Amino acid sequence: MYKNKHSIFLILILGLIFHKYYCKEQTYIHNQAKPPRFHVAEFNFDHVSDVYAITLWILLGSLAKVGFHLSHRLTEKFPESCLLIILGLIVGGLLYITHLAEQKAYVLNSDTFFLFLLPPIILEAGYFMPNRPFFDNLGTILLLAIVNTLFNTICIGLTLWGFSFTPLYGGTQFGMLPCFVFAALISAVDPVAVLATFTEIHVNDMLYIVVFGESLLNDAVSVVLYRMFDSFAKIGQENLIPLDLILGFLSFFVVSLGGVLIGIIFGVVACFTTKFTEHTPVLEPLIILVYAYLAYLTSEMVSVSGILAITFCGMVMKQYVSFNISKKSDATTEYVLKMLSSIMETIIFMFMGLSTVSDHHSWNTGFVLITLLACLVFRVIGIAIFANLANCWRLLELTRIDMLIMSYGGLRGAIAFALALILDETKIPRKKEFVTATIAVVFFTVFLQGITIGPLVKCLNVRRKQIEEPTMSAKLTNRMMDHVMTCLEEISGSGGSNSLRDKCRNLDRNYFKRWLLRETPQEKMDIKLLQTFKKINMQSAMKVHDTSKGLVPTPSSTTIHTSPSGANLRPSSTFANFSQLLAANLPEQTVPDLMFFESQGTEHYHDDAQMHHFLDTNLYRARPRATIHVRSKDEMADTNNETNNRFEKSYHHRNHIYIPPRLDKEQLHGRKTGRSSSGTNRLTGAKAASSTQADHDSRSSKHSLIPSYKRESFKSTNSPKQRQQQQKSKSRSKSPPLSSDQPIKSLSETKDIDQPIPPVSIVIENEDDTVKMDGATAAERICPWRRSSLPDGEKLTSTSSIDDPSNTSHTFSNTNDPNLHSGPLTSANFSGAYNKSAEYMGEFATITKPEEYVSRPHVRDLFNNQFRTSDEKQENNSETASNESVTRL
Amino acid sequence: MGSNASIMLQQEDLQNICQETGFTTKEVQRLYSRFKTLDKRDCGFLIREDLLCIPEVNINPLGERLIDVIVEDYGENNKINFKQFIFLLATFRRGKTKSTTEFNTRNSKLKFLFDMYDRNHDMKIDRTELLEVLKMMVGGNIHDDQIATIADHTIGELDNDGDSSITFEEFCETLSRIDADDKMSMKFLS
């Protein structure tokens, strides 16, 4: 396989070369021809040459990556970065032989690097930055990034300069300032290399974030130092006055804080912009990317740290943007970011290998060795000093092993190389030596350290990223610990980081969210915990499924009545590969890496509808709310179709009509999209049709029968008490079956557009549906948090039976649809309201996402139920709204 | 246990406390002043309401349960005096190897957590207790059925001997993979 790939590359390269020569020949002939004639076809490579080369590079990079991953043995042993560099070397060798290397587009130049290749990587890193570990370790990170980098620069610079007085360099003279320039560029840990290496070894979050955070934030220091020493070298050593040093010191603050500020400003503006993009959702990802890039370019323009700017821009945006934009845009943004950064990283490493093969080298063994040694030694010393210093205030101390990994993970990379390339040879006469030494160091760190760090981590038994399955007890207790510690800190008045975090959260909630989000989430409940439960619930669903496989041998057999809670979770047996599917998505990865997206491919299973149903069962629905922001039209249209199809497919074939215990919004929507709701009666019928097909085969043992909805059900239910009771009531095993005349009629209307579906799936869907109903109801009969403390004090036990079943449908049709608008029930409203279902997949994807995604508000609907105090009011609103709508209909 | 903590902290008391708990003098003094701040009625002990006055505790879903544990297990007669208060907090001192006392071992921290569940002190977390805590922690967003499912699964996960309740040992065992020691530690200002 691998060899195949290689031959493909070779062919590609040869093709390129051939193009080149052919093109030259062509132009030559063209010039010779005296009387110009019309050309039927023209070969004009020059016209596209640069872009063509770039595109070819991207293609080559992608193919290389694809190729490497075809061979597991290769990628297990070697980090991808190494392989890419080797490939680059090979290609570089080819280009060098063919003298194509002189062409600008084929070698790494620092403009390309800094303007195009670097920003996406850094943006991705910032966007997926695990915020909490980052800020938890911010002190350590800053100490390492600033002081340690400074320390390294000075030590390395002095060492290199000091050795120039010995015969070690073979007589080549190195001035002091050039040495410092070189030290400045070589001492900074490279985020790209660290990212590439650390995501593969999966160390624990703390370690990862410390090293990676350092590599990101030390950019400000290294940029300043580099620029400072560079200009010093230009000014000349003898002309320097102390003022220059002070100015340099000042410029550090300007560069770093300026970068952060620009990043935050652009991030905030981006968030603010997305507040108004509801009608143009297709542009949302672009807006995010463009703002981030603009932040980078702006800060480069005013020569502050672009890396800091784009990092913080990404972090700020991540916090708020995803609350605003649609789930599709959110997924797109993430995907595009991953894609861009991954290809840029590939290209960077390839270019590095490529650019190595050139004439711009001057190998000076002494200098290279000293540089290498100095880099290693001072890295270790610096980490030892500053990590111990950081331990003075760190709660979780860095152990010796942590320090070792930290110093070992101090990889140098392309940034250093690119900086070395832009050195001015007139001012710094030893540029070639510097470039060579840089390449040597980079190669040494990337190859030797990069390859060995994985085994080393295993060997030293470094605490790995916890890949444990989220056991409920562990999650629960974890969360409990957080609560307890926050409280206790408050009680003891310690004002520790926990309460500081709480305060930040409050500030964030009270001000930023209010200004930047389309709708203000009332975050009083623990979203994260809920999500954990979602995840857990999924897992237990898998488990139950796995264990119950034997119990349900054939789909058509009557469903075994499991315990109520078990029934909630029991998936249908069609999901043979469901657990694998979930398992593929489940591993938690806080560290941004590609595995998530790789594994996401599995989600392209064919039967959306079934999965939606299943998810509906198992995911927690949030508290309904009266208002929700209007979704974009595109989405509405989109989902309209999708849902239509889905529902037709799911329900058309059913004959036996049951009224489900509760109607969830999907079913409701099915009714709407069935366009059968021409009147109140119809409405009921359609609802019944769409939602109650459930279990017609597995009927006999089924418990989910509800009394038929009477017409009276559409009288207004004005008593919140009643409603609450219904919501809380367990109607499952108590409801009598419903006669099915009406539903069938309305059903037939929808039938025309239906697609026939294989009989097997019928049953499954039914089962599924039953399950769903239970789940949906469970999720939807939500009482607000601490509802008992509300004045009405309606604390009803869940076992209270249905008092007024006739009201149920009404109640559910409104209060339980989180997306329901309080306005009249127009079809537009409904399609819009329902659009969420189209995104169930997104939800599914995000649910099993790494921890850091957990903070993502794909559960923005969850927010609804946060505002408990206004629940009653909202319900009343929706109620009146629905009454209104009913009468209109 | 001197319930009359309204008098100034005596020197020897201070020494004793420091010795027993491993706090430094400064930390104890600081905690004392904190205690005095919380003790608005100036009667030398804290009652539930005093603790509930702290806004963060008040809004915390587990706040009330925590106060239950504090005043019932660590205090007496629904009040907690300074000495008890400081013993309580000593539990959450960082468990460095050199300064471990009987209070801040991993076990005592876990015991505190366990007590958060186990309110009837039978050294077992049974289903109802778990359900109670779960409900506090998830609020009304999850239906009883599902909470019950979660509780069942949790018990199933932890329960080794099949008595459908969780003993302290079983509890500790599942938490062995969590860095409870770190998580249950805080920094005391001195």
Side-chain angles (χ1 to χ4, degrees):
Chain A
M1 228 14 154
Y2 181 56
K3 274 179 184 163
N4 275 349
K5 282 293 154 190
H6 253 269
S7 54
I8 291 174
F9 300 145
L10 286 181
I11 291 166
L12 258 174
I13 297 304
L14 289 178
L16 185 66
I17 294 159
F18 177 70
H19 270 184
K20 208 61 195 166
Y21 280 115
Y22 184 62
C23 142
K24 272 177 191 162
E25 201 181 343
Q26 190 77 5
T27 43
Y28 175 73
I29 291 168
H30 187 77
N31 289 340
Q32 286 297 93
K34 264 289 169 194
R37 287 272 175 271
F38 178 74
H39 295 274
V40 178
E42 235 173 316
F43 189 84
N44 197 352
F45 182 72
D46 282 342
H47 183 56
V48 293
S49 63
D50 284 356
V51 187
Y52 205 83
I54 291 165
T55 317
L56 272 185
W57 272 121
I58 294 173
L59 182 66
L60 184 58
S62 321
L63 288 180
K65 231 175 154 141
V66 172
F68 293 150
H69 282 281
L70 285 178
S71 157
H72 283 292
R73 258 181 308 155
L74 204 64
T75 40
E76 266 167 27
K77 276 182 194 147
F78 301 101
E80 218 175 68
S81 44
C82 299
L83 296 173
L84 287 168
I85 289 182
I86 293 172
L87 178 68
L89 282 172
I90 296 167
V91 178
L94 278 173
L95 290 181
Y96 187 75
I97 296 165
T98 53
H99 299 287
L100 271 172
E102 287 112 59
Q103 297 281 326
K104 221 183 156 194
Y106 302 109
V107 292
L108 179 64
N109 74 23
S110 47
D111 268 355
T112 324
F113 177 77
F114 282 111
L115 292 185
F116 301 111
L117 298 181
L118 193 56
I121 299 176
I122 306 296
L123 176 62
E124 193 250 16
Y127 197 77
F128 293 105
M129 175 82 77
N131 278 345
R132 187 163 166 180
F134 180 75
F135 285 109
D136 279 355
N137 295 300
L138 190 62
T140 317
I141 291 171
L142 283 178
L143 184 77
L144 288 176
I146 297 169
V147 191
N148 188 31
T149 310
L150 200 64
F151 168 83
N152 267 290
T153 308
I154 291 171
C155 290
I156 294 175
L158 282 178
T159 315
L160 288 178
W161 181 56
F163 273 100
S164 69
F165 296 109
T166 67
L168 223 60
Y169 294 163
T172 320
Q173 283 301 310
F174 290 92
M176 184 181 86
L177 283 175
C179 275
F180 275 106
V181 175
F182 177 65
L185 66 88
I186 203 72
S187 60
V189 177
D190 185 70
V192 183
V194 168
L195 206 58
T197 313
F198 272 62
T199 46
E200 287 180 17
I201 58 175
H202 295 291
V203 292
N204 63 69
D205 260 2
M206 192 270 293
L207 203 53
Y208 166 78
I209 206 68
V210 166
V211 179
F212 181 59
E214 182 201 342
S215 69
L216 272 183
L217 299 192
N218 69 13
D219 175 66
V221 185
S222 60
V223 163
V224 171
L225 286 177
Y226 175 80
R227 218 174 269 152
M228 194 167 86
F229 288 123
D230 196 34
S231 54
F232 284 179
K234 279 168 191 161
I235 292 167
Q237 202 171 333
E238 56 281 358
N239 302 329
L240 280 183
I241 51 172
L243 183 68
D244 287 329
L245 271 179
I246 296 168
L247 288 178
F249 184 71
L250 276 181
S251 91
F252 164 73
F253 289 100
V254 174
V255 166
S256 53
L257 296 181
V260 172
L261 200 69
I262 288 180
I264 289 176
I265 288 172
F266 273 91
V268 167
V269 174
C271 296
F272 195 68
T273 313
T274 54
K275 204 174 170 179
F276 307 101
T277 52
E278 52 199 80
H279 301 297
T280 46
V282 276
L283 292 181
E284 281 166 350
L286 190 67
I287 285 170
I288 291 169
L289 296 179
V290 164
Y291 269 115
Y293 193 42
L294 214 54
Y296 183 84
L297 292 181
T298 310
S299 47
E300 287 291 304
M301 185 175 71
V302 297
S303 57
V304 298
S305 168
I307 292 187
L308 281 184
I310 204 167
T311 308
F312 277 84
C313 187
M315 286 169 75
V316 170
M317 287 196 302
K318 173 77 177 170
Q319 284 299 304
Y320 303 105
V321 153
S322 40
F323 283 87
N324 281 341
I325 61 180
S326 68
K327 273 175 200 156
K328 276 181 195 165
S329 306
D330 200 24
T332 312
T333 312
E334 286 177 11
Y335 213 98
V336 166
L337 276 178
K338 292 271 183 203
M339 182 190 79
L340 281 180
S341 73
S342 131
I343 193 63
M344 293 309 176
E345 192 183 290
T346 309
I347 291 176
I348 285 177
F349 282 116
M350 265 172 43
F351 264 159
M352 288 239 310
L354 189 75
S355 313
T356 307
V357 191
S358 76
D359 293 324
H360 305 283
H361 289 298
S362 166
W363 181 263
N364 186 325
T365 318
F367 187 72
V368 169
L369 280 182
I370 297 292
T371 312
L372 211 53
L373 273 179
C375 282
L376 289 177
V377 170
F378 289 119
R379 173 81 190 163
V380 176
I381 294 176
I383 290 288
I385 294 173
F386 296 109
N388 278 314
L389 199 64
N391 272 347
C392 295
W393 74 74
R394 282 183 67 88
L395 201 60
L396 180 57
E397 282 181 356
L398 296 161
T399 62
R400 291 243 167 90
I401 291 175
D402 286 341
M403 292 181 205
L404 183 67
I405 297 297
M406 278 159 67
S407 38
Y408 206 74
L411 307 176
R412 275 36 170 214
I415 294 185
F417 184 58
L419 285 176
L421 282 183
I422 52 172
L423 286 175
D424 186 356
E425 199 157 3
T426 55
K427 299 288 186 299
I428 298 165
R430 297 285 164 240
K431 180 188 171 183
K432 282 182 182 173
E433 277 87 351
F434 288 158
V435 172
T436 314
T438 310
I439 286 180
V441 172
V442 170
F443 277 27
F444 180 84
T445 52
V446 170
F447 275 86
L448 217 76
Q449 291 178 217
I451 291 173
T452 50
I453 196 168
L456 191 72
V457 163
K458 258 182 220 146
C459 208
L460 293 174
N461 211 1
V462 176
R463 210 154 49 86
R464 303 296 280 275
K465 188 179 228 340
Q466 290 176 348
I467 330 176
E468 62 185 73
E469 73 278 28
T471 63
M472 276 175 234
S473 48
K475 290 275 176 189
L476 237 182
T477 316
N478 236 335
R479 178 54 47 139
M480 185 187 250
M481 285 182 198
D482 278 354
H483 282 311
V484 167
M485 293 319 290
T486 318
C487 275
L488 279 171
E489 276 188 353
E490 211 50 50
I491 287 173
S492 75
S494 301
S497 60
N498 282 347
S499 0
L500 191 69
R501 189 181 307 129
D502 269 11
K503 277 182 187 123
C504 286
R505 208 178 286 153
N506 284 341
L507 188 81
D508 172 67
R509 184 165 67 220
N510 292 339
Y511 298 100
F512 284 98
K513 289 224 167 95
R514 192 154 297 163
W515 293 333
L516 296 180
L517 301 189
R518 283 182 203 168
E519 57 200 56
T520 317
Q522 304 296 333
E523 191 183 351
K524 282 193 183 151
M525 245 282 307
D526 210 328
I527 306 271
K528 284 198 178 183
L529 188 65
L530 249 184
Q531 287 183 328
T532 300
F533 277 128
K534 276 189 178 182
K535 206 171 5 180
I536 288 171
N537 211 6
M538 290 273 273
Q539 273 219 333
S540 37
M542 281 162 44
K543 276 182 201 155
V544 175
H545 162 62
D546 289 344
T547 50
S548 69
K549 240 183 226 165
L551 277 177
V552 196
T554 51
S556 55
S557 74
T558 51
T559 323
I560 289 146
H561 180 79
T562 44
S563 75
S565 49
N568 279 344
L569 296 167
R570 196 175 48 72
S572 87
S573 46
T574 27
F575 302 119
N577 65 341
F578 185 61
S579 45
Q580 291 99 304
L581 198 125
L582 280 177
N585 279 312
L586 269 174
E588 285 182 32
Q589 294 164 349
T590 315
V591 175
D593 69 8
L594 291 169
M595 271 174 68
F596 162 64
F597 281 106
E598 282 159 9
S599 62
Q600 227 182 3
T602 41
E603 125 205 342
H604 294 294
Y605 54 85
H606 41 277
D607 215 339
D608 274 20
Q610 289 188 0
M611 186 60 90
H612 290 322
H613 288 195
F614 177 73
L615 285 174
D616 240 4
T617 315
N618 291 292
L619 301 189
Y620 292 95
R621 270 295 131 250
R623 174 89 201 145
R625 65 178 156 188
T627 53
I628 190 172
H629 72 266
V630 186
R631 282 309 196 78
S632 52
K633 282 167 191 161
D634 288 10
E635 272 181 26
M636 287 181 188
D638 236 22
T639 47
N640 217 352
N641 296 336
E642 278 182 39
T643 47
N644 267 343
N645 294 336
R646 175 134 49 86
F647 278 98
E648 285 147 17
K649 200 164 132 199
S650 302
Y651 297 110
H652 79 279
H653 55 276
R654 292 176 180 160
N655 304 317
H656 299 244
I657 306 301
Y658 287 90
I659 292 289
R662 298 117 201 150
L663 296 169
D664 69 54
K665 87 178 176 295
E666 183 163 339
Q667 291 156 350
L668 266 178
H669 189 62
R671 155 183 56 135
K672 294 300 184 238
T673 50
R675 293 182 213 98
S676 55
S677 46
S678 49
T680 357
N681 298 349
R682 280 294 174 76
L683 218 132
T684 356
K687 187 189 299 170
S690 61
S691 56
T692 57
Q693 305 276 351
D695 357 12
H696 82 269
D697 274 356
S698 47
R699 192 69 323 7
S700 41
S701 71
K702 262 319 164 187
H703 38 289
S704 51
L705 314 174
I706 246 188
S708 54
Y709 295 118
K710 295 144 193 159
R711 309 289 172 270
E712 305 90 85
S713 68
F714 288 91
K715 287 177 191 161
S716 68
T717 57
N718 0 18
S719 135
K721 186 169 163 185
Q722 245 178 355
R723 197 173 330 112
Q724 220 175 346
Q725 280 175 336
Q726 289 145 16
Q727 275 184 321
K728 296 206 117 196
S729 62
K730 266 193 175 165
S731 50
R732 187 184 297 134
S733 48
K734 288 160 189 157
S735 3
L738 163 82
S739 67
S740 51
D741 289 349
Q742 287 282 353
I744 286 176
K745 215 183 263 176
S746 57
L747 197 61
S748 58
E749 287 176 30
T750 61
K751 234 171 188 172
D752 308 348
I753 18 173
D754 288 347
Q755 305 293 321
I757 114 172
V760 184
S761 62
I762 296 175
V763 181
I764 285 143
E765 279 172 10
N766 293 338
E767 278 183 24
D768 193 16
D769 248 7
T770 350
V771 173
K772 173 175 74 177
M773 279 161 216
D774 295 343
T777 47
E780 299 200 12
R781 294 182 301 153
I782 291 153
C783 68
W785 189 53
R786 287 194 180 172
R787 175 157 224 164
S788 53
S789 64
L790 289 177
D792 63 359
E794 292 294 333
K795 239 190 154 177
L796 297 168
T797 57
S798 58
T799 48
S800 69
S801 57
I802 318 171
D803 293 314
D804 189 357
S806 61
N807 280 336
T808 330
S809 77
H810 177 83
T811 311
F812 279 113
S813 64
N814 295 291
T815 55
N816 280 336
D817 187 347
N819 286 328
L820 205 55
H821 297 262
S822 50
L825 297 174
T826 63
S827 66
N829 253 353
F830 261 90
S831 45
Y834 186 56
N835 62 25
K836 208 170 146 264
S837 71
E839 292 164 351
Y840 282 161
M841 274 327 295
E843 206 161 342
F844 168 61
T846 47
I847 250 182
T848 52
K849 265 184 180 183
E851 196 79 59
E852 100 230 40
Y853 297 103
V854 168
S855 60
R856 262 164 28 73
H858 57 264
V859 275
R860 81 182 62 127
D861 304 296
L862 287 180
F863 286 123
N864 321 341
N865 39 348
Q866 311 315 325
F867 208 23
R868 277 145 207 114
T869 46
S870 66
D871 267 336
E872 292 304 318
K873 212 173 115 195
Q874 288 184 344
E875 276 176 23
N876 283 332
N877 284 346
S878 61
E879 190 182 312
T880 46
S882 66
N883 288 338
E884 201 182 328
S885 65
V886 166
T887 44
R888 279 184 202 195
L889 284 167
Chain B
M1 295 279 178
S3 60
N4 193 7
S6 60
I7 51 165
M8 275 305 293
L9 205 54
Q10 296 298 314
Q11 193 59 37
E12 56 264 39
D13 278 350
L14 193 69
Q15 300 273 296
N16 284 341
I17 291 171
C18 292
Q19 218 153 33
E20 278 181 74
T21 59
F23 279 120
T24 64
T25 323
K26 274 189 177 168
E27 282 167 349
V28 176
Q29 271 161 352
R30 201 192 148 83
L31 286 176
Y32 185 70
S33 69
R34 175 66 183 168
F35 183 83
K36 300 293 280 179
T37 325
L38 292 178
D39 183 19
K40 293 193 185 70
R41 292 161 301 112
D42 201 28
C43 52
F45 53 82
L46 301 178
I47 55 171
R48 304 178 58 91
E49 283 72 26
D50 289 330
L51 293 172
L52 269 177
C53 280
I54 305 168
E56 274 79 3
V57 180
N58 199 5
I59 61 167
N60 195 305
L62 287 176
E64 295 192 32
R65 174 55 68 95
L66 181 77
I67 293 170
D68 281 345
V69 176
I70 290 174
V71 296
E72 285 168 24
D73 292 7
Y74 286 81
E76 49 193 351
N77 301 330
N78 281 332
K79 45 195 173 187
I80 180 165
N81 65 29
F82 177 64
K83 207 154 186 185
Q84 291 156 345
F85 180 71
I86 207 155
F87 285 154
L88 160 78
L89 293 177
T91 313
F92 302 98
R93 240 164 36 80
R94 287 196 54 211
K96 271 188 199 161
T97 40
K98 45 196 170 201
S99 63
T100 306
T101 63
E102 54 175 311
F103 294 105
N104 63 348
T105 55
R106 178 185 159 87
N107 244 20
S108 60
K109 285 171 192 180
L110 291 183
K111 183 70 173 61
F112 188 93
L113 274 187
F114 189 77
D115 284 340
M116 292 282 290
Y117 293 101
D118 181 30
R119 292 316 296 143
N120 58 8
H121 300 290
D122 59 355
M123 287 307 280
K124 271 181 190 167
I125 303 173
D126 55 36
R127 194 165 174 275
T128 29
E129 284 170 337
L130 189 63
L131 272 178
E132 253 176 71
V133 175
L134 263 170
K135 275 181 197 160
M136 286 183 207
M137 288 178 72
V138 298
N141 272 352
I142 300 185
H143 180 253
D144 292 346
D145 272 1
Q146 283 175 307
I147 292 189
T149 315
I150 291 171
D152 287 340
H153 274 266
T154 312
I155 290 180
E157 259 170 34
L158 298 183
D159 187 21
N160 290 332
D161 51 12
D163 60 354
S164 59
S165 58
I166 304 161
T167 63
F168 184 55
E169 287 71 33
E170 288 164 347
F171 182 73
C172 291
E173 198 177 305
T174 39
L175 293 182
S176 56
R177 283 208 282 172
I178 299 183
D179 208 352
D181 225 359
D182 279 319
K183 287 215 165 110
M184 296 284 290
S185 300
M186 60 180 167
K187 198 110 186 161
F188 288 97
L189 301 181
S190 51

